[in-house]
Amino acid sequence: MNDMSTVAPIPHYHPTGQECVLFETAQAMRLPLLLKGPTGCGKTRFVEHMAAKTGRKLYTVACHDDLSAADLIGRYLLKGGETEWVDGPLTRAVREGAICYLDEIVEARKDVTVVLHPLTDNRRTLMIDRTGEELQAPEGFMLVASYNPGYQNVLKRLKPSTRQRFLSASFDFPKADIETDVIVQESGIDAARAAGLVRLGGAIRRLSGMDLEEGVSTRLLIYAAVLINSGMSFENAIEAAVIEPLSDDADIQQALRDLVAVTFG
Ligand SMILES: Nc1ncnc2c1ncn2[C@@H]1O[C@H](COP(=O)(O)OP(=O)(O)O)[C@@H](O)[C@H]1O
Ligand SMILES: [Mg+2]
């Protein structure tokens, strides 16, 4: 048994549906899992929570458009005049039977999905071309990926040949009572003011016809609560955590301020 003092606490996560059972089942069945949903709705926190709960080490990779297969698998590096092979996060996760979480997988370059295919079907193998190694993923290894279907970028869609390899779950902003509880837990603000922020969030998310790419995230509402709780005025907190992050357009910002006034008026 581990010494309790060295065990990190499990990150707080408030379930919003059947996602915890799905995760545990996917893990038991050795199947990869894809989490879909808008930014800041709790996907990363969910994976951190489940990894800690199930006692698995977690390797998180934030994918971007320069991320290549070598970034995930590893590469030869020059160390003191010698070349030395250094495992990337995916290879480490496979070797150690850990969880590898590819955040925003659609952002990654195409060669990344090629690497993932033999890992995500019943072969569960990782080919390391540069070293000639072929790793068999142990029981504990699990691949989790996330993507945001809300982005209207046709070039950034997940190909069916990739997405049909994953069990999938849709995430959305938590229902009002859960989101209130999350804001209270994360910021320390009182429930009444958290509920007010959640009402504002709901009003912003219901806006249609405005050029907002996405509604306000749970993350931003938490930021607003943290600022308010630290003593900042409500107006300044909303400005810095909600209005400015959501839009650069002066008209839209004014419309959001009007909505704030209506919501709290
Ligand atoms: N269901 C939830 N339980 C606990 N915290 C949550 C939940 N949903 C969102 N959060 C909070 O919102 C923040 C942003 O969520 P995150 O997991 O980073 O979003 P995503 O990965 O979907 O972009 C988290 O740091 C956490 O504080
Ligand atoms: Mg995330």
Side-chain angles (χ1 to χ4, degrees):
M1 230 3 243
N2 276 327
D3 174 1
M4 286 307 282
S5 64
T6 65
V7 176
I10 295 176
H12 165 249
Y13 177 76
H14 197 314
T16 60
Q18 298 303 307
E19 66 272 31
C20 296
V21 176
L22 179 63
F23 189 103
E24 281 168 352
T25 308
Q27 202 169 43
M29 307 303 288
R30 300 174 210 179
L31 296 172
L33 180 62
L34 179 66
L35 312 176
K36 305 188 270 183
T39 180
C41 73
K43 301 182 296 298
T44 296
R45 176 61 68 88
F46 169 64
V47 178
E48 291 167 349
H49 171 83
M50 293 306 297
K53 202 169 129 187
T54 57
R56 306 283 168 86
K57 190 163 178 191
L58 175 64
Y59 289 95
T60 297
V61 182
C63 300
H64 51 80
D65 52 13
D66 254 357
L67 187 93
S68 66
D71 293 323
L72 289 180
I73 292 178
R75 49 171 53 92
Y76 283 105
L77 293 180
L78 208 55
K79 276 196 182 163
E82 310 232 333
T83 54
E84 187 184 310
W85 174 260
V86 178
D87 282 342
L90 180 63
T91 304
R92 280 203 293 275
V94 171
R95 286 196 207 280
E96 297 169 19
I99 296 171
C100 184
Y101 176 44
L102 303 179
D103 204 357
E104 294 294 344
I105 187 174
V106 269
E107 298 293 331
R109 273 166 38 177
K110 276 214 196 74
D111 61 335
V112 164
T113 50
V114 175
V115 167
L116 298 182
H117 284 188
L119 249 190
T120 46
D121 56 32
N122 48 22
R123 289 172 280 174
R124 292 198 13 121
T125 51
L126 179 67
M127 323 280 191
I128 310 181
D129 292 343
R130 300 298 300 277
T131 65
E133 259 184 299
E134 184 178 322
L135 300 180
Q136 183 68 46
E139 165 127 28
F141 172 76
M142 181 179 184
L143 187 71
V144 184
S146 78
Y147 94 112
N148 183 349
Y151 285 138
Q152 296 303 312
N153 187 342
V154 224
L155 296 173
K156 293 263 168 79
R157 292 232 179 102
L158 206 53
K159 284 207 303 217
S161 58
T162 302
R163 60 188 293 164
Q164 294 217 14
R165 290 161 181 277
F166 289 82
L167 290 176
S168 300
S170 270
F171 278 64
D172 205 345
F173 303 117
K175 286 207 282 299
D177 54 336
I178 295 180
E179 191 165 44
T180 304
D181 180 67
V182 165
I183 294 173
V184 168
Q185 291 261 353
E186 298 286 318
S187 71
I189 203 176
D190 58 273
R193 285 188 294 176
L197 290 169
V198 169
R199 261 190 297 129
L200 175 62
I204 293 175
R205 290 167 195 159
R206 278 191 300 275
L207 282 183
S208 55
M210 238 203 235
D211 286 323
L212 282 183
E213 204 171 345
E214 283 193 332
V216 63
S217 64
T218 303
R219 181 190 292 120
L220 286 179
L221 296 178
I222 293 168
Y223 287 169
V226 166
L227 293 179
I228 293 166
N229 209 32
S230 77
M232 189 181 280
S233 75
F234 182 81
E235 286 71 21
N236 289 344
I238 294 294
E239 197 66 30
V242 178
I243 313 275
E244 289 289 349
L246 282 184
S247 181
D248 304 322
D249 180 295
D251 292 338
I252 294 176
Q253 291 188 347
Q254 192 48 50
L256 288 169
R257 282 182 204 109
D258 295 344
L259 193 64
V260 173
V262 171
T263 306
F264 295 99

